[in-house]
Amino acid sequence: MDNTQKLIELFKEFPGIGPRQAKRFVYFLLNRNPGYASDLARIINEVRSTVHACNTCFRFFPNGVNKTCAICLDETRENTLMLVSQDVDLENIEKTKFYNGHYFVLGGSIPILEKNPEKRIRQKDLLQIIENRTKNGLTEIILALNYNPEGENTLTHLKELITDNFPALKISTLGRGLSTGTELEYSDSDTIKNALKNRQ
Ligand SMILES: [Zn+2]
């Protein structure tokens, strides 16, 4: 395989990118001046070596000496824990400025009929974090997942998991301000705010 083909294959692994788009990316790079490609390569390397997952909520943040992000360290925040699938969901919810608790990024969701759901999300880490937070007076877990079949399936799994391990914990889910098929990633602030306000 020549390098052009290798690059196409690498772009094909990006979420939502098919072979035709991957090819377009490669020709786009070839048509730009060489500085563009070297900037891109350098910045990818820099981001990869300076941005890491927080050791508490697992969101990505540029960590210097800190292994824990500013949201997790902020003691003025409420003692609630919101579970989201991915970093962009957290960012979207943070943007509403309506939620003032803590987060946990699951790192994925569970497809229907998945035989090993615990491999699709950070289940072990999640249980550990809930246990730590419970000792410090955690009051509520909010499941903020997409309103699509995969999100619903993840929600059912998490509810069972948390109820089995922490029967006394209050669990709530986003209200139906979001319509079916909605993904948090593409929801506007008002919609998310309403879903949070009407959580049940
Ligand atoms: Zn964090």
Side-chain angles (χ1 to χ4, degrees):
M1 199 190 294
D2 67 20
N3 274 337
T4 309
Q5 194 54 41
K6 257 186 224 162
L7 192 53
I8 293 172
E9 293 300 317
L10 287 173
F11 279 129
K12 259 166 63 185
E13 290 182 32
F14 278 52
I17 299 302
R20 267 173 51 198
Q21 283 161 306
K23 229 176 243 179
R24 284 178 63 194
F25 285 2
V26 171
Y27 286 110
F28 169 78
L29 283 174
L30 290 172
N31 278 309
R32 293 296 293 256
N33 63 51
Y36 183 86
S38 48
D39 275 355
L40 182 66
R42 180 179 50 81
I43 291 168
I44 289 173
N45 273 322
E46 272 177 28
V47 167
R48 206 56 193 83
S49 60
T50 55
V51 178
H52 295 100
C54 168
N55 65 2
T56 305
C57 70
F58 291 86
R59 79 185 176 104
F60 287 107
F61 78 110
N63 20 11
V65 281
N66 274 339
K67 298 232 180 304
T68 312
C69 78
I71 296 180
C72 290
L73 289 173
D74 185 350
E75 285 179 7
T76 66
R77 285 190 168 239
E78 290 165 34
N79 214 342
T80 57
L81 187 66
M82 184 181 288
L83 313 191
V84 294
S85 281
Q86 45 177 0
D87 284 66
V88 271
D89 298 339
L90 184 156
E91 278 166 27
N92 259 356
I93 292 163
E94 227 8 52
K95 218 165 54 189
T96 68
K97 295 193 166 50
F98 186 74
Y99 176 68
N100 190 33
H102 294 279
Y103 296 93
F104 184 88
V105 181
L106 296 161
S109 52
I110 304 165
I112 290 166
L113 300 175
E114 169 65 57
K115 291 202 174 63
N116 302 302
E118 71 284 353
K119 288 193 178 146
R120 294 290 192 142
I121 54 170
R122 299 186 175 106
Q123 183 158 310
K124 246 181 76 190
D125 296 312
L126 172 65
L127 292 173
Q128 188 59 55
I129 294 291
I130 297 179
E131 194 177 324
N132 297 347
R133 289 205 177 275
T134 304
K135 283 179 201 149
N136 293 311
L138 177 67
T139 56
E140 180 184 358
I141 295 221
I142 303 156
L143 302 175
L145 297 152
N146 291 331
Y147 278 134
N148 55 24
E150 200 163 309
E152 298 281 348
N153 191 45
T154 311
L155 188 126
T156 309
H157 173 77
L158 287 170
K159 262 189 181 166
E160 270 178 34
L161 179 78
I162 298 165
T163 314
D164 284 352
N165 288 278
F166 306 95
L169 254 183
K170 178 184 175 192
I171 305 172
S172 62
T173 56
L174 293 187
R176 289 289 160 168
L178 299 169
S179 51
T180 309
T182 310
E183 296 185 17
L184 281 175
E185 183 178 353
Y186 306 114
S187 301
D188 60 77
S189 285
D190 281 342
T191 309
I192 296 176
K193 219 186 269 183
N194 279 327
L196 269 170
K197 213 187 291 175
N198 299 320
R199 67 180 186 262
Q200 53 216 13

